[in-house]
Amino acid sequence: MTTISAADVHKIIVACDAGMGSSVMLAAQLRKSLKKYPVTVEHSPVSQIPADADLVVCHAGLADRARAAAGAKPVIAFQIFLGDPAVEAILKAIKEGGVINV
């Protein structure tokens, strides 16, 4: 398993696929949770992941497409949109200064 330092994460992209808005809700929740930290959170279609992303977060069903679009950028897949352990681990690492398992 690869890890990245949370200190190296300055831009998180929540990638989606023309869904019902759940990923927009997740991006807003991450933005609110990380307001005090030097991290921006943006929402993007999975096919248009920005090159300046440090970390991509997406639903597990989109993970392969996100990895193809993100190139070498790390992709974290989650199963549920709110309260997923993978997303909670990202938040904890950024807030406490740790590593993120990719």
Side-chain angles (χ1 to χ4, degrees):
M1 179 170 284
T2 305
T3 62
I4 61 170
S5 171
D8 293 334
V9 176
H10 302 288
K11 185 172 185 176
I12 297 173
I13 298 298
V14 178
C16 73
D17 186 34
M20 301 299 287
S22 300
S23 56
V24 173
M25 187 170 50
L26 174 60
Q29 184 261 333
L30 287 173
R31 205 174 292 117
K32 182 178 177 182
S33 295
L34 296 172
K35 187 186 321 187
K36 298 188 311 186
Y37 301 89
V39 177
T40 60
V41 179
E42 295 180 7
H43 182 262
S44 170
V46 71
S47 61
Q48 298 174 4
I49 295 170
D52 62 344
D54 296 311
L55 181 66
V56 178
V57 178
C58 69
H59 189 270
L62 297 175
D64 289 339
R65 288 177 53 201
R67 287 184 182 101
K73 304 295 181 184
V75 175
I76 303 287
F78 60 86
Q79 295 293 326
I80 54 176
F81 282 93
L82 296 176
D84 191 275
V87 175
E88 295 301 318
I90 294 168
L91 291 172
K92 182 178 179 184
I94 290 172
K95 290 177 178 181
E96 296 178 6
V99 296
I100 301 169
N101 295 315
V102 181

